[in-house]
Amino acid sequence: MAGVQTAVALREQGFTGTVTLIGAEPHQPYDRPPLSKAVLLGKAEDSAFDVDFESLDIDLRLGREVTGVRTAEHQLDTEAGPVPYDALVLATGAEPIRLPGTEGVPGVHLLRTLDDAARLRPVLAAQHDIVVVGAGWIGAEFATAAREAGCAVTVVEAADRPLAGALPAEVAAPMAAWYADSGTVLRTHARVERVEPGAVVLDDGTRIAAGAVVVGVGARPATAWLADSGIALGAYGEVVADARLRTSVPDVHAVGDCASFPSARYGERLLIHHWDNALQGPRTVAAHIVEGELTDAVYDPVPYFWSEQFGRFVQYAGHHRGADTTLWRGDPDGPAWSVCWLRENRLVALLAVGRPRDLAQGRRLIESGAALDPERLADPTKPLKSATVTG
Protein backbone atom coordinates (compact mmCIF):
# COMPACT_ATOMS: atom_id res chain seq x y z
CA MET A 1 0.00 0.00 0.00
CA ALA A 2 2.64 2.57 1.03
CA GLY A 3 4.87 1.95 -1.99
CA VAL A 4 2.04 1.96 -4.52
CA GLN A 5 0.43 5.04 -3.03
CA THR A 6 3.75 6.91 -3.09
CA ALA A 7 4.24 6.14 -6.78
CA VAL A 8 0.68 7.18 -7.60
CA ALA A 9 0.91 10.34 -5.46
CA LEU A 10 4.10 11.40 -7.25
CA ARG A 11 2.28 11.33 -10.58
CA GLU A 12 -0.81 13.02 -9.15
CA GLN A 13 1.36 15.83 -7.81
CA GLY A 14 3.06 16.39 -11.15
CA PHE A 15 6.32 14.48 -10.89
CA THR A 16 7.56 13.83 -14.46
CA GLY A 17 10.78 11.93 -13.77
CA THR A 18 11.32 8.17 -13.70
CA VAL A 19 9.38 6.30 -11.00
CA THR A 20 10.55 2.76 -10.24
CA LEU A 21 8.59 0.54 -7.86
CA ILE A 22 10.53 -2.51 -6.64
CA GLY A 23 8.96 -5.41 -4.73
CA ALA A 24 10.26 -8.77 -3.56
CA GLU A 25 6.99 -10.60 -4.22
CA PRO A 26 6.22 -11.78 -7.78
CA HIS A 27 2.54 -10.82 -7.60
CA GLN A 28 0.94 -7.61 -8.83
CA PRO A 29 0.88 -5.20 -5.86
CA TYR A 30 -2.09 -6.04 -3.65
CA ASP A 31 -4.08 -4.89 -0.65
CA ARG A 32 -3.60 -6.84 2.59
CA PRO A 33 -6.89 -6.54 4.55
CA PRO A 34 -8.79 -8.96 2.25
CA LEU A 35 -6.17 -11.65 2.92
CA SER A 36 -7.75 -12.44 6.29
CA LYS A 37 -11.26 -12.28 4.84
CA ALA A 38 -12.37 -12.79 1.22
CA VAL A 39 -9.08 -14.18 -0.14
CA LEU A 40 -8.62 -16.56 2.80
CA LEU A 41 -12.16 -17.91 2.45
CA GLY A 42 -11.88 -18.38 -1.32
CA LYS A 43 -14.38 -15.61 -2.10
CA ALA A 44 -11.70 -13.75 -4.09
CA GLU A 45 -8.57 -14.98 -5.85
CA ASP A 46 -6.48 -11.94 -5.04
CA SER A 47 -6.73 -8.33 -3.95
CA ALA A 48 -4.59 -6.58 -6.57
CA PHE A 49 -4.77 -2.79 -6.59
CA ASP A 50 -6.79 -1.26 -9.40
CA VAL A 51 -3.88 0.81 -10.64
CA ASP A 52 -2.79 1.12 -14.28
CA PHE A 53 0.96 1.28 -13.72
CA GLU A 54 1.68 1.42 -17.45
CA SER A 55 -0.49 4.47 -18.10
CA LEU A 56 1.11 6.20 -15.09
CA ASP A 57 4.55 5.36 -16.52
CA ILE A 58 5.58 3.55 -13.33
CA ASP A 59 8.37 1.00 -13.87
CA LEU A 60 7.18 -2.02 -11.89
CA ARG A 61 9.93 -4.47 -10.98
CA LEU A 62 8.46 -7.51 -9.23
CA GLY A 63 10.09 -10.56 -7.68
CA ARG A 64 13.22 -8.56 -7.00
CA GLU A 65 14.61 -8.48 -3.48
CA VAL A 66 16.58 -5.45 -2.36
CA THR A 67 19.69 -6.39 -0.40
CA GLY A 68 21.14 -3.03 0.62
CA VAL A 69 21.59 0.64 -0.13
CA ARG A 70 24.73 2.69 -0.63
CA THR A 71 23.52 6.16 0.26
CA ALA A 72 26.77 7.96 -0.60
CA GLU A 73 26.57 6.60 -4.15
CA HIS A 74 22.76 6.96 -4.34
CA GLN A 75 22.47 3.30 -5.33
CA LEU A 76 20.12 0.55 -4.30
CA ASP A 77 21.52 -2.99 -4.40
CA THR A 78 19.18 -5.67 -5.71
CA GLU A 79 19.52 -9.32 -6.73
CA ALA A 80 19.49 -8.17 -10.35
CA GLY A 81 22.14 -5.50 -9.88
CA PRO A 82 22.35 -1.90 -8.67
CA VAL A 83 19.58 0.66 -9.25
CA PRO A 84 20.53 4.35 -9.08
CA TYR A 85 18.22 6.91 -7.51
CA ASP A 86 17.86 10.65 -7.02
CA ALA A 87 15.26 10.15 -4.28
CA LEU A 88 14.60 6.89 -2.45
CA VAL A 89 11.42 5.99 -0.58
CA LEU A 90 11.56 3.10 1.89
CA ALA A 91 8.15 1.38 2.07
CA THR A 92 9.14 -2.17 3.04
CA GLY A 93 6.38 -2.55 5.64
CA ALA A 94 6.55 -5.07 8.46
CA GLU A 95 7.14 -8.81 8.68
CA PRO A 96 5.47 -11.22 11.09
CA ILE A 97 7.35 -12.40 14.16
CA ARG A 98 7.93 -16.13 14.04
CA LEU A 99 7.40 -18.37 17.02
CA PRO A 100 10.82 -19.67 18.16
CA GLY A 101 11.35 -23.34 17.46
CA THR A 102 8.69 -23.64 14.76
CA GLU A 103 10.97 -23.34 11.74
CA GLY A 104 10.48 -26.42 9.60
CA VAL A 105 7.64 -27.86 11.70
CA PRO A 106 4.91 -28.98 9.29
CA GLY A 107 1.52 -27.31 9.56
CA VAL A 108 2.76 -24.01 11.05
CA HIS A 109 1.55 -20.91 9.18
CA LEU A 110 1.81 -17.13 9.18
CA LEU A 111 -0.71 -14.79 7.56
CA ARG A 112 0.90 -11.75 6.00
CA THR A 113 1.22 -12.34 2.25
CA LEU A 114 -0.91 -13.55 -0.63
CA ASP A 115 1.09 -16.78 -0.67
CA ASP A 116 0.38 -17.26 3.06
CA ALA A 117 -3.36 -16.93 2.39
CA ALA A 118 -3.12 -19.36 -0.54
CA ARG A 119 -1.44 -21.96 1.70
CA LEU A 120 -4.08 -21.52 4.40
CA ARG A 121 -7.12 -21.66 2.13
CA PRO A 122 -7.09 -25.48 1.70
CA VAL A 123 -6.50 -25.84 5.46
CA LEU A 124 -9.76 -24.03 6.13
CA ALA A 125 -11.55 -25.89 3.34
CA ALA A 126 -10.54 -29.22 4.95
CA GLN A 127 -11.96 -27.99 8.28
CA HIS A 128 -8.86 -28.89 10.29
CA ASP A 129 -8.67 -28.35 14.05
CA ILE A 130 -6.69 -25.12 14.25
CA VAL A 131 -4.68 -23.52 17.05
CA VAL A 132 -4.04 -19.79 16.75
CA VAL A 133 -1.15 -18.43 18.80
CA GLY A 134 -1.88 -14.83 19.77
CA ALA A 135 -5.19 -13.06 20.48
CA GLY A 136 -4.28 -9.81 18.76
CA TRP A 137 -6.01 -8.23 15.76
CA ILE A 138 -4.77 -10.76 13.20
CA GLY A 139 -5.42 -13.72 15.51
CA ALA A 140 -9.03 -12.64 16.05
CA GLU A 141 -9.61 -12.01 12.34
CA PHE A 142 -8.18 -15.38 11.35
CA ALA A 143 -10.17 -17.17 14.06
CA THR A 144 -13.30 -15.47 12.72
CA ALA A 145 -12.62 -16.72 9.18
CA ALA A 146 -11.74 -20.22 10.40
CA ARG A 147 -14.99 -20.50 12.34
CA GLU A 148 -16.91 -19.30 9.31
CA ALA A 149 -15.23 -22.10 7.34
CA GLY A 150 -16.39 -24.65 9.94
CA CYS A 151 -13.08 -25.30 11.68
CA ALA A 152 -12.69 -25.97 15.39
CA VAL A 153 -10.50 -23.14 16.69
CA THR A 154 -8.51 -22.70 19.89
CA VAL A 155 -6.72 -19.38 20.48
CA VAL A 156 -3.87 -19.38 23.01
CA GLU A 157 -2.71 -16.09 24.45
CA ALA A 158 0.12 -15.55 26.93
CA ALA A 159 -1.52 -12.48 28.46
CA ASP A 160 -4.65 -12.42 30.61
CA ARG A 161 -6.91 -11.05 27.85
CA PRO A 162 -7.19 -10.46 24.11
CA LEU A 163 -5.48 -7.41 22.59
CA ALA A 164 -3.33 -6.98 25.68
CA GLY A 165 -0.72 -4.99 23.78
CA ALA A 166 -3.23 -2.68 22.10
CA LEU A 167 -5.95 -1.78 24.62
CA PRO A 168 -6.25 -1.22 28.38
CA ALA A 169 -7.46 -4.20 30.40
CA GLU A 170 -10.92 -2.80 31.16
CA VAL A 171 -11.56 -2.14 27.47
CA ALA A 172 -10.24 -5.43 26.12
CA ALA A 173 -11.84 -7.61 28.82
CA PRO A 174 -15.38 -7.58 27.34
CA MET A 175 -13.99 -8.83 24.04
CA ALA A 176 -13.07 -12.19 25.57
CA ALA A 177 -16.76 -13.15 25.49
CA TRP A 178 -16.82 -12.71 21.71
CA TYR A 179 -14.65 -15.79 21.32
CA ALA A 180 -17.02 -18.05 23.25
CA ASP A 181 -20.05 -16.60 21.48
CA SER A 182 -18.53 -17.67 18.14
CA GLY A 183 -17.63 -21.14 19.36
CA THR A 184 -13.92 -20.31 19.58
CA VAL A 185 -11.99 -21.56 22.62
CA LEU A 186 -9.84 -18.80 24.14
CA ARG A 187 -7.10 -19.85 26.56
CA THR A 188 -5.37 -16.94 28.30
CA HIS A 189 -2.27 -17.16 30.53
CA ALA A 190 -1.22 -19.83 28.02
CA ARG A 191 2.40 -19.86 26.92
CA VAL A 192 3.54 -22.17 24.15
CA GLU A 193 6.36 -24.48 25.19
CA ARG A 194 6.75 -26.04 21.74
CA VAL A 195 4.91 -26.99 18.58
CA GLU A 196 5.00 -30.59 17.40
CA PRO A 197 3.48 -32.13 14.29
CA GLY A 198 -0.21 -32.32 15.15
CA ALA A 199 -0.06 -30.61 18.54
CA VAL A 200 0.74 -27.46 20.49
CA VAL A 201 2.27 -28.07 23.92
CA LEU A 202 1.81 -25.38 26.57
CA ASP A 203 4.28 -24.65 29.37
CA ASP A 204 1.97 -26.36 31.89
CA GLY A 205 2.17 -29.58 29.90
CA THR A 206 -1.23 -29.27 28.25
CA ARG A 207 -1.34 -30.70 24.72
CA ILE A 208 -3.79 -29.21 22.23
CA ALA A 209 -4.47 -31.14 19.04
CA ALA A 210 -3.72 -29.06 15.98
CA GLY A 211 -4.16 -30.01 12.36
CA ALA A 212 -2.66 -26.56 11.69
CA VAL A 213 -1.11 -23.78 13.75
CA VAL A 214 -1.38 -20.11 12.80
CA VAL A 215 1.05 -17.73 14.50
CA GLY A 216 -0.10 -14.16 15.10
CA VAL A 217 2.20 -12.78 17.78
CA GLY A 218 3.00 -9.45 16.17
CA ALA A 219 5.13 -7.90 13.47
CA ARG A 220 8.35 -5.93 13.26
CA PRO A 221 9.53 -3.40 10.67
CA ALA A 222 11.15 -5.12 7.68
CA THR A 223 14.43 -3.23 7.88
CA ALA A 224 17.15 -5.82 8.53
CA TRP A 225 18.57 -5.07 5.07
CA LEU A 226 19.33 -1.49 6.22
CA ALA A 227 21.69 -2.55 9.03
CA ASP A 228 24.88 -1.17 7.40
CA SER A 229 23.28 1.67 5.44
CA GLY A 230 23.89 4.53 7.86
CA ILE A 231 20.13 5.19 7.96
CA ALA A 232 19.10 5.64 11.60
CA LEU A 233 16.87 2.92 13.06
CA GLY A 234 14.83 3.11 16.25
CA ALA A 235 14.28 0.85 19.24
CA TYR A 236 11.91 -1.43 17.32
CA GLY A 237 14.10 -1.60 14.23
CA GLU A 238 12.00 1.00 12.46
CA VAL A 239 13.37 3.75 10.25
CA VAL A 240 13.44 6.98 12.26
CA ALA A 241 11.77 9.63 10.10
CA ASP A 242 11.14 13.30 10.82
CA ALA A 243 7.80 15.11 10.60
CA ARG A 244 8.26 15.33 6.83
CA LEU A 245 8.99 11.58 6.63
CA ARG A 246 12.65 12.17 5.76
CA THR A 247 15.25 9.81 7.20
CA SER A 248 18.62 10.69 8.75
CA VAL A 249 20.20 10.46 5.27
CA PRO A 250 19.64 13.06 2.52
CA ASP A 251 17.27 12.10 -0.33
CA VAL A 252 15.90 9.07 1.54
CA HIS A 253 12.31 9.02 2.84
CA ALA A 254 10.38 6.36 4.76
CA VAL A 255 6.66 5.68 4.98
CA GLY A 256 4.18 3.11 6.29
CA ASP A 257 4.78 0.24 8.70
CA CYS A 258 8.57 0.46 8.49
CA ALA A 259 8.86 4.03 9.80
CA SER A 260 8.15 6.04 12.94
CA PHE A 261 7.52 9.78 12.97
CA PRO A 262 7.15 12.49 15.64
CA SER A 263 3.58 13.53 16.39
CA ALA A 264 3.11 17.07 17.64
CA ARG A 265 -0.54 16.19 18.25
CA TYR A 266 0.37 13.47 20.76
CA GLY A 267 3.78 14.67 21.90
CA GLU A 268 5.59 11.43 21.12
CA ARG A 269 7.01 9.35 18.30
CA LEU A 270 4.48 6.99 16.70
CA LEU A 271 5.06 3.66 14.96
CA ILE A 272 1.78 2.64 13.32
CA HIS A 273 1.24 -0.76 11.72
CA HIS A 274 -2.09 -0.06 10.06
CA TRP A 275 -3.53 0.34 6.58
CA ASP A 276 -4.61 3.98 6.89
CA ASN A 277 -1.07 5.08 7.79
CA ALA A 278 0.24 3.47 4.60
CA LEU A 279 -2.49 5.25 2.65
CA GLN A 280 -2.02 8.77 4.06
CA GLY A 281 1.74 9.13 4.52
CA PRO A 282 2.70 8.88 0.83
CA ARG A 283 1.06 12.24 0.05
CA THR A 284 3.50 13.97 2.39
CA VAL A 285 6.47 12.08 0.92
CA ALA A 286 5.42 12.94 -2.65
CA ALA A 287 4.98 16.62 -1.78
CA HIS A 288 8.54 16.88 -0.48
CA ILE A 289 10.02 15.05 -3.45
CA VAL A 290 8.08 17.20 -5.95
CA GLU A 291 8.23 20.57 -4.21
CA GLY A 292 11.32 20.25 -2.01
CA GLU A 293 11.77 23.23 0.32
CA LEU A 294 8.77 24.97 -1.25
CA THR A 295 6.40 22.87 0.87
CA ASP A 296 6.02 22.90 4.62
CA ALA A 297 3.77 19.82 4.69
CA VAL A 298 4.18 17.70 7.82
CA TYR A 299 2.72 14.32 8.64
CA ASP A 300 0.71 14.28 11.86
CA PRO A 301 -2.44 12.20 11.31
CA VAL A 302 -5.11 10.98 13.66
CA PRO A 303 -4.25 7.26 13.52
CA TYR A 304 -7.11 5.04 12.38
CA PHE A 305 -7.74 1.34 11.92
CA TRP A 306 -10.57 -1.15 11.83
CA SER A 307 -11.06 -4.87 12.39
CA GLU A 308 -13.88 -7.24 11.54
CA GLN A 309 -14.06 -10.03 14.11
CA PHE A 310 -16.71 -12.39 15.44
CA GLY A 311 -19.52 -10.54 13.69
CA ARG A 312 -18.47 -7.14 15.00
CA PHE A 313 -17.02 -4.10 13.26
CA VAL A 314 -14.38 -2.55 15.51
CA GLN A 315 -12.90 0.87 14.72
CA TYR A 316 -10.28 2.93 16.53
CA ALA A 317 -9.11 6.50 15.98
CA GLY A 318 -6.42 8.44 17.80
CA HIS A 319 -3.87 7.42 20.43
CA HIS A 320 -5.04 6.85 24.00
CA ARG A 321 -1.71 6.89 25.84
CA GLY A 322 -1.58 10.07 27.89
CA ALA A 323 -5.34 10.35 28.36
CA ASP A 324 -6.54 11.37 31.82
CA THR A 325 -10.18 10.28 31.50
CA THR A 326 -11.94 7.21 30.07
CA LEU A 327 -15.66 7.38 29.29
CA TRP A 328 -17.99 4.59 28.11
CA ARG A 329 -20.89 5.06 25.73
CA GLY A 330 -23.22 2.09 25.98
CA ASP A 331 -23.02 -1.36 27.57
CA PRO A 332 -19.84 -3.32 26.71
CA ASP A 333 -21.85 -6.54 27.06
CA GLY A 334 -24.15 -5.34 24.30
CA PRO A 335 -23.71 -5.37 20.51
CA ALA A 336 -22.75 -1.70 20.14
CA TRP A 337 -20.69 0.55 22.39
CA SER A 338 -17.84 3.02 22.37
CA VAL A 339 -15.00 4.14 24.61
CA CYS A 340 -13.72 7.72 24.63
CA TRP A 341 -10.34 8.79 25.95
CA LEU A 342 -9.91 12.45 26.90
CA ARG A 343 -7.09 14.69 27.99
CA GLU A 344 -8.16 17.96 29.64
CA ASN A 345 -11.69 17.40 28.29
CA ARG A 346 -10.49 17.05 24.71
CA LEU A 347 -10.93 13.79 22.84
CA VAL A 348 -7.64 12.07 22.01
CA ALA A 349 -8.86 8.58 21.05
CA LEU A 350 -12.02 6.57 20.50
CA LEU A 351 -12.86 2.89 20.11
CA ALA A 352 -16.21 2.13 18.48
CA VAL A 353 -17.82 -1.31 18.35
CA GLY A 354 -20.76 -1.30 15.95
CA ARG A 355 -21.11 2.48 16.22
CA PRO A 356 -19.59 3.87 13.00
CA ARG A 357 -21.22 7.27 13.50
CA ASP A 358 -19.36 7.65 16.80
CA LEU A 359 -16.13 6.90 15.00
CA ALA A 360 -16.74 9.38 12.17
CA GLN A 361 -17.73 12.19 14.52
CA GLY A 362 -15.04 11.30 17.05
CA ARG A 363 -12.29 11.42 14.45
CA ARG A 364 -13.31 14.94 13.50
CA LEU A 365 -13.44 16.00 17.16
CA ILE A 366 -9.91 14.66 17.70
CA GLU A 367 -8.69 16.58 14.65
CA SER A 368 -10.33 19.82 15.80
CA GLY A 369 -9.21 19.56 19.42
CA ALA A 370 -12.58 20.92 20.55
CA ALA A 371 -13.41 21.13 24.26
CA LEU A 372 -16.15 18.67 25.25
CA ASP A 373 -18.74 18.19 27.97
CA PRO A 374 -17.86 14.76 29.48
CA GLU A 375 -21.37 14.14 30.84
CA ARG A 376 -22.97 14.69 27.46
CA LEU A 377 -20.22 12.70 25.76
CA ALA A 378 -20.99 9.66 27.92
CA ASP A 379 -24.66 9.62 26.89
CA PRO A 380 -24.94 7.02 24.09
CA THR A 381 -28.31 8.43 22.98
CA LYS A 382 -26.75 11.75 21.98
CA PRO A 383 -24.46 12.31 18.97
CA LEU A 384 -20.81 12.74 19.92
CA LYS A 385 -20.63 16.10 18.18
CA SER A 386 -23.37 17.45 20.48
CA ALA A 387 -20.88 17.30 23.37
CA THR A 388 -18.87 20.20 21.92
CA VAL A 389 -18.59 23.13 24.32
CA THR A 390 -19.16 26.45 22.57
CA GLY A 391 -18.20 29.90 23.72
Side-chain angles (χ1 to χ4, degrees):
M1 170 62 85
V4 168
Q5 288 298 321
T6 300
V8 171
L10 283 166
R11 291 301 187 218
E12 288 178 344
Q13 296 185 32
F15 185 75
T16 57
T18 300
V19 176
T20 303
L21 184 59
I22 301 174
E25 293 186 61
H27 312 289
Q28 281 291 114
Y30 58 86
D31 207 6
R32 293 192 190 280
L35 298 185
S36 61
K37 304 172 185 72
V39 174
L40 185 62
L41 290 169
K43 298 176 181 178
E45 282 304 311
D46 60 38
S47 54
F49 291 115
D50 185 17
V51 175
D52 189 339
F53 294 100
E54 186 175 354
S55 70
L56 290 172
D57 193 22
I58 294 170
D59 180 8
L60 199 56
R61 303 188 188 183
L62 303 175
R64 185 171 300 188
E65 187 168 354
V66 176
T67 57
V69 57
R70 286 170 285 148
T71 56
E73 291 88 0
H74 277 56
Q75 283 201 335
L76 202 61
D77 291 323
T78 78
E79 294 173 321
V83 178
Y85 67 85
D86 293 314
L88 175 64
V89 180
L90 307 175
T92 49
E95 55 193 4
I97 297 172
R98 297 178 181 273
L99 199 63
T102 60
E103 294 81 358
V105 178
V108 178
H109 299 264
L110 301 168
L111 180 53
R112 180 73 183 183
T113 68
L114 184 59
D115 288 338
D116 291 337
R119 283 187 287 267
L120 276 164
R121 200 151 58 183
V123 173
L124 267 59
Q127 297 187 333
H128 284 289
D129 290 350
I130 296 175
V131 173
V132 179
V133 183
W137 300 112
I138 192 65
E141 291 187 2
F142 177 81
T144 299
R147 287 297 298 141
E148 184 176 336
C151 300
V153 182
T154 299
V155 178
V156 297
E157 167 59 50
D160 62 348
R161 63 189 186 277
L163 297 168
L167 296 172
E170 68 273 17
V171 177
M175 299 177 177
W178 300 357
Y179 288 75
D181 291 345
S182 74
T184 301
V185 176
L186 173 64
R187 299 187 59 138
T188 55
H189 299 286
R191 293 187 176 276
V192 175
E193 176 74 24
R194 64 185 182 277
V195 177
E196 301 173 349
V200 171
V201 181
L202 304 182
D203 62 358
D204 64 0
T206 302
R207 294 174 62 86
I208 306 173
V213 178
V214 176
V215 178
V217 294
R220 60 167 64 92
T223 57
W225 64 284
L226 293 171
D228 299 318
S229 67
I231 296 170
L233 302 180
Y236 299 98
E238 85 281 8
V239 179
V240 177
D242 67 10
R244 293 168 172 78
L245 299 182
R246 301 173 300 189
T247 73
S248 61
V249 172
D251 303 320
V252 181
H253 309 253
V255 66
D257 291 4
C258 72
S260 66
F261 58 90
S263 170
R265 184 190 308 276
Y266 290 104
E268 61 181 283
R269 179 166 286 275
L270 300 182
L271 174 60
I272 302 171
H273 284 188
H274 292 296
W275 184 90
D276 192 65
N277 179 49
L279 174 69
Q280 305 295 344
R283 296 169 191 158
T284 300
V285 172
H288 283 279
I289 291 175
V290 173
E291 301 178 41
E293 297 303 317
L294 297 178
T295 180
D296 57 0
V298 298
Y299 187 59
D300 195 6
V302 173
Y304 167 75
F305 70 89
W306 80 97
S307 176
E308 296 176 67
Q309 51 184 268
F310 308 119
R312 292 165 174 84
F313 187 43
V314 184
Q315 296 173 283
Y316 178 97
H319 183 65
H320 62 265
R321 188 183 303 159
D324 55 36
T325 304
T326 303
L327 294 178
W328 293 78
R329 286 170 58 84
D331 181 1
D333 292 328
W337 47 276
S338 297
V339 179
C340 300
W341 287 274
L342 293 86
R343 185 171 61 229
E344 297 177 352
N345 286 345
R346 286 171 168 77
L347 193 66
V348 294
L350 180 137
L351 175 80
V353 177
R355 292 181 66 104
R357 185 174 296 179
D358 276 7
L359 190 288
Q361 294 181 12
R363 195 173 183 180
R364 288 192 288 271
L365 289 172
I366 296 170
E367 289 171 346
S368 70
L372 302 173
D373 176 352
E375 184 175 346
R376 195 170 184 86
L377 191 70
D379 186 343
T381 68
K382 293 182 170 63
L384 267 175
K385 60 185 180 183
S386 72
T388 302
V389 176
T390 56

